[in-house]
Amino acid sequence: MDKITPRNLQGIMELLPNDQIVFNGMKDIIRKNFESFGFLPLDQPVLENSAVLLAKAGGDTEKQIYRFNKGDNDICMRFDLTVPLAKYVAMNYENLTFPFRRYQINKVYRGERPQHGRFREFYQCDIDIIGKDFLSLIYDAEIPSIMYNVFKELNIGKFIIFISNRKLLLGLVESLNLKNISAEIFRVIDKFDKIGLENVKLTLIDDYKIATDSVKILTDFIQISGSIDEKINKLKSLKINSDIFHTGLNELQEVVKYMRAFGVPDDYFDINLTIVRGLDYYTGTIYETMLSGFEKLGSICSGGRFDNLAEFYTDKKLPGVGMSIGLTRLFDQLRENDLIKTVKKSISDVVVLPMGEYQTEAIFIANEIRESGLNAEVYFEESKMKSKILYADRNKVPYIIIIGEDEVKNNFVTLKNLSTFEQVQVDIKSAINIIKNN
Amino acid sequence: MDKITPRNLQGIMELLPNDQIVFNGMKDIIRKNFESFGFLPLDQPVLENSAVLLAKAGGDTEKQIYRFNKGDNDICMRFDLTVPLAKYVAMNYENLTFPFRRYQINKVYRGERPQHGRFREFYQCDIDIIGKDFLSLIYDAEIPSIMYNVFKELNIGKFIIFISNRKLLLGLVESLNLKNISAEIFRVIDKFDKIGLENVKLTLIDDYKIATDSVKILTDFIQISGSIDEKINKLKSLKINSDIFHTGLNELQEVVKYMRAFGVPDDYFDINLTIVRGLDYYTGTIYETMLSGFEKLGSICSGGRFDNLAEFYTDKKLPGVGMSIGLTRLFDQLRENDLIKTVKKSISDVVVLPMGEYQTEAIFIANEIRESGLNAEVYFEESKMKSKILYADRNKVPYIIIIGEDEVKNNFVTLKNLSTFEQVQVDIKSAINIIKNN
């Protein structure tokens, strides 16, 4: 028979089992932390009506979408988890309880040109809190505090959650009578990290014809430095003539106060006035997260406050705040930089190896091990002891138990630690304790 | 602004949060049991090259597939988890350890005409064990034993796992010199449950011109009754002149023996000689699972032994055995028949309600609750106590904690059980203990 060569589409991550165990371990930690803060799970469909999903999309996003017809249906695959959330809240408004706290950890799909570190099918891990008509500012502090807990437990090294508030820059631009080119100014400032201060200045002066004294005010603003409290004090002393600026500053101060209450230490978050977040969508607090020493990876977790989640679907006012982790890309980059330190490397805690005809006895032993809460499997193939041990070792299982004539006659098991090669003959209860205390 | 009416595609399940919690609880139980038997997790892509995914497909399956072009790619969405497994094992043959035990709990996609209880996007929960060149028969007993553990823990009522072996019917047909119409005979017998004995007889005689004495042998065979051991004894006494029949009988007997060793009680499994399993794919042991009293639901978990997982991709011989649960459909039907009895109904164990200006103190209390391992959230909106309690109640959260002036001054919390309306004023440690012991 002619064979088809098995292969994957480009830009797809498909993991070998040992990597998949690590990936799932990270996903479990994220889920556990989201649930510990009482976020409700959603697991929405991948397939949506195109007219519904694309109510808002346009430009680059629309080009990347997987869209097709089947029967009478014009169908899209979701490209993020936010538009489906908007659809869901608008559809189920009467059946939801507000503030509606939901998480979703699921794949999204984008037909991007494949390139290093970019995927066409990838996990997003989103938390959002959606209010009905209004939403307390304290939630703006809770969201990044949850992400702090996530990244601490993921144990991927030092990170900093940067916060800002879009109202600051908006108010500043307004006070300089530059509101008509605010989008352009935001875009230039957003590039600060890449192009540097001098190029920001030059672009603002040459391309946008902004007066040098206004440029100085703008660049002084984004360069404000010091501790969190020093930055707030410097912002206060700026004497900007704009209500929106002062609203933004008060909000920022409150967010700082409550992030501290939620237990985020000052060396794990900071005010960063160069953050803009491209999307028009955000209207207040904004977040980015950097892995210290690996800033080239870009933000690993971003988000912000928005005024209106679902304006394309409903007249209801639905303000919210949220953040998202791009887990597939993060995992890929952590692995590449050897930054993953996980504890659990195998699924089974022990492989039971029957010798000769002692399969039934091996099954009884495995049953007992599983009843104790451990994961156990029996290797039933008839092969040499060396191959049997290799099986356990390649799957990174820490222990094997051997069941043969001696063991059955004398009612003990032979337990071998595959890292230390230590071997003991003990009763099954002791063996279970040794494995559990490893 | 013109609004788009938010709606879902037909044939899609999208759950409200309270149902999603129950669904996830079932998914967690399935995963836990699969892992307790040492199955490795896979989480493969939804999108595949059409040429690869459709190497084997044809007929109805192909018509149902979501297939589209994007750029230079001809892309399909997976329609099951078995073909992707075959691709994976063929692709990664050198990097896998055999027998390769993998589970996958993921959605598959079929563009079926939507009808009651049928979904276009639905979860399959698969376990398979794949051997290299050979695979011990004991694995044929292990697979249904794992599913026994799953359904016991799901607590959905009495069920029976039916087993048979295709070699029995194949050998019987062979011994009657009817091998040339074996597919037709299998198809008729497969309909036994629906059309009844008399129609099976009539179809075999009238449509397929089978001699009445041969029809009698066939229908006597599928009607063999009694306990498991009685059935085996009756099969032994049949004196069928076919090696393949006797191989099948020996295999069936071994599977029974080892299922008992794995701890499956005799009233939770049975031999059922009317099982055929439509797919040509299966070559030995076959399984179906019925919920007692709800046989109209059809088999809720099926599978079998196959000789060659990946013959379309590789010359390597890859025998295997597996079973699959269609979770979306099962959940839908269980819910419709009110058969779901789960313990966990909410994500949060407690909602903390700050009174007046005591938000910060409420945050501290919630931090402490989370550190104890419980899930806790704070309700920050300023609203009436009644609305705050309603929030917790609608989310089925069992407890609220109130933090106001009295509580802060006197260093206690007010804990209220929302089912019994009992209210106590205790220190936070005692409150945590009460919640944990609920």
Side-chain angles (χ1 to χ4, degrees), chain A residues 63-66 109-113 120, chain B residues 70:
Chain A
K63 270 182 240 152
Q64 292 176 353
I65 289 169
Y66 290 111
Y109 299 83
R110 292 186 195 171
E112 294 193 83
R113 187 193 296 269
R120 288 171 164 173
Chain B
K70 180 89 185 171

Side-chain angles (χ1 to χ4, degrees), chain B residues 124-172:
Chain B
Q124 286 197 335
C125 312
D126 281 25
I127 40 174
D128 288 275
I129 305 175
I130 310 299
K132 193 175 183 164
D133 302 318
F134 52 83
L135 184 72
S136 165
L137 186 69
I138 306 178
Y139 293 115
D140 291 36
E142 187 184 23
I143 291 283
S145 304
I146 298 163
M147 291 303 191
Y148 162 77
N149 280 282
V150 166
F151 288 113
K152 275 301 272 187
E153 189 170 346
L154 284 177
N155 190 24
I156 56 174
K158 182 70 193 314
F159 59 91
I160 297 179
I161 299 172
F162 290 111
I163 58 170
S164 185
N165 192 304
R166 279 190 86 134
K167 288 171 186 157
L168 291 171
L169 200 52
L170 208 64
L172 185 62

Side-chain angles (χ1 to χ4, degrees), chain A residues 350 364-374 399 401 403 410-415 424-438:
Chain A
V350 58
F364 292 157
I365 291 293
N367 291 348
E368 195 168 341
I369 298 170
R370 276 189 290 267
E371 271 160 32
S372 82
L374 291 170
Y399 286 97
I401 278 178
I403 302 294
N410 300 305
N411 207 21
F412 62 68
V413 303
T414 299
L415 175 74
V424 290
Q425 297 190 314
V426 291
D427 62 39
I428 179 62
K429 292 224 176 336
S430 309
I432 289 169
N433 283 332
I434 293 172
I435 299 169
K436 282 193 172 172
N437 295 323
N438 181 28

